[in-house]
Amino acid sequence: MNLDFDKEIERIIREKKETSPKVLNEIHRVRKKENEFIVMELRNAGFKVSDLFDLINFKQTDFEYVNLLINLFDSEKVTDPIIKDGIIRAITVKKAKGIAEIKLLEFYNSLKTEREKESIGWSIGNWFENLYSDLYFEQIKKISEDKNNGMSRQMFVMAIGKTKKHKLNAEKLLLELTFDNQVALHAISSLGKLKSTNSIERLTELTNDKNKTIKKEANKALKKITAE
């Protein structure tokens, strides 16, 4: 559940560059207020935290807070994207599996802007990659194949590689996505996880790609597929 600090720093820098001081101060005021609200709710429920992100950055042993955070996720008192992102990261644990999927998918599908999808949407995809269930294969597939979802698809594409019941459908989509620059690397990795023999020809072709990272991932996937 560790916070991706590189991603967080990039977000902070971009936010400061693109936002006026007055608006930025208001964003931070709201964010602080909502964080304090969640912390108070957690404390009232018996959890000793001083910040929502304590649940992400420090090792937890008690995950009883999951239901509370899921209920707070779409509360009118929780509107800031970073706070919502923090909740998603905090509930990316096994205890949330089977109870958070529908709410997270509904929220993902409500996201409108590219920025929202890149930040919160990516974290939702990460949730599904970590806690994949074939019950939601069709929803994950639909998100993954829609180019309008941009880079937020990356972790959804990774999740597809975990399917047990939909391997043929997964292979077909992942092969198509190896031609999509935004998610090609993730599609290649997923084909490796699937041990997709049907993708050997395409992956072999990619071992000669100009992009060194693509070449490396293609070779790695081929080794997984051809290993005895």
Side-chain angles (χ1 to χ4, degrees):
M1 290 197 302
N2 289 337
L3 186 63
D4 186 335
F5 287 105
D6 288 339
K7 183 179 176 184
E8 184 68 2
I9 289 169
E10 287 178 6
R11 179 195 64 75
I12 292 169
I13 292 172
R14 186 172 65 238
E15 190 175 76
K16 286 184 176 179
K17 281 183 177 180
E18 298 178 4
T19 313
S20 69
K22 183 177 180 180
V23 173
L24 191 60
N25 286 337
E26 176 62 14
I27 289 172
H28 288 167
R29 185 193 69 78
V30 171
R31 187 170 297 159
K32 181 181 178 182
K33 181 181 177 181
E34 293 186 1
N35 190 23
E36 289 172 348
F37 163 69
I38 290 174
V39 166
M40 187 57 65
E41 292 291 307
L42 287 165
R43 286 181 175 176
N44 289 340
F47 298 99
K48 297 179 180 179
V49 294
S50 58
D51 191 285
L52 166 63
F53 293 89
D54 288 350
L55 300 176
I56 304 168
N57 296 327
F58 304 109
K59 187 176 181 180
Q60 303 295 318
T61 56
D62 181 2
F63 298 105
E64 294 301 322
Y65 62 79
V66 164
N67 284 310
L68 172 61
L69 290 185
I70 289 174
N71 289 333
L72 289 176
F73 184 71
D74 54 6
S75 164
E76 292 181 357
K77 294 184 178 181
V78 180
T79 61
D80 182 76
I82 300 306
I83 298 300
K84 284 186 178 291
D85 187 70
I87 290 177
I88 295 166
R89 291 171 183 270
I91 64 170
T92 306
V93 294
K94 288 181 180 179
K95 189 171 179 61
K97 189 171 183 178
I99 56 176
E101 289 90 340
I102 292 175
K103 184 168 287 191
L104 290 176
L105 286 168
E106 286 178 348
F107 184 74
Y108 181 91
N109 290 324
S110 74
L111 297 175
K112 302 299 182 184
T113 69
E114 185 177 345
R115 177 175 291 184
E116 285 177 326
K117 288 182 179 179
E118 281 186 8
S119 57
I120 310 177
W122 193 95
S123 294
I124 294 173
N126 184 62
W127 190 99
F128 279 94
E129 196 278 332
N130 276 278
L131 301 166
Y132 179 79
S133 168
D134 267 327
L135 290 173
Y136 300 93
F137 176 80
E138 290 301 329
Q139 292 95 320
I140 293 170
K141 177 177 177 289
K142 185 175 180 180
I143 290 169
S144 298
E145 62 193 0
D146 186 348
K147 291 188 176 183
N148 291 322
N149 291 325
M151 294 179 70
S152 71
R153 296 175 292 157
Q154 291 177 342
M155 298 310 290
F156 286 103
V157 173
M158 291 289 284
I160 288 175
K162 292 188 171 182
T163 184
K164 302 295 183 184
K165 297 180 180 179
H166 306 280
K167 185 173 179 179
L168 290 178
N169 283 339
E171 283 179 326
K172 181 180 178 183
L173 174 60
L174 292 170
L175 281 167
E176 291 174 0
L177 293 179
T178 63
F179 294 93
D180 184 332
N181 290 335
Q182 288 186 319
V183 295
L185 195 65
H186 305 78
I188 293 166
S189 178
S190 281
L191 287 167
K193 284 192 290 185
L194 278 177
K195 294 191 174 181
S196 168
T197 54
N198 292 327
S199 68
I200 290 176
E201 183 178 349
R202 172 60 178 155
L203 291 174
T204 302
E205 179 183 329
L206 289 170
T207 61
N208 295 311
D209 196 88
K210 293 179 180 179
N211 185 310
K212 291 182 179 179
T213 307
I214 293 288
K215 288 172 65 173
K216 183 178 179 180
E217 198 62 42
N219 277 305
K220 190 189 299 185
L222 282 170
K223 286 181 180 178
K224 289 181 180 179
I225 295 167
T226 57
E228 294 184 2

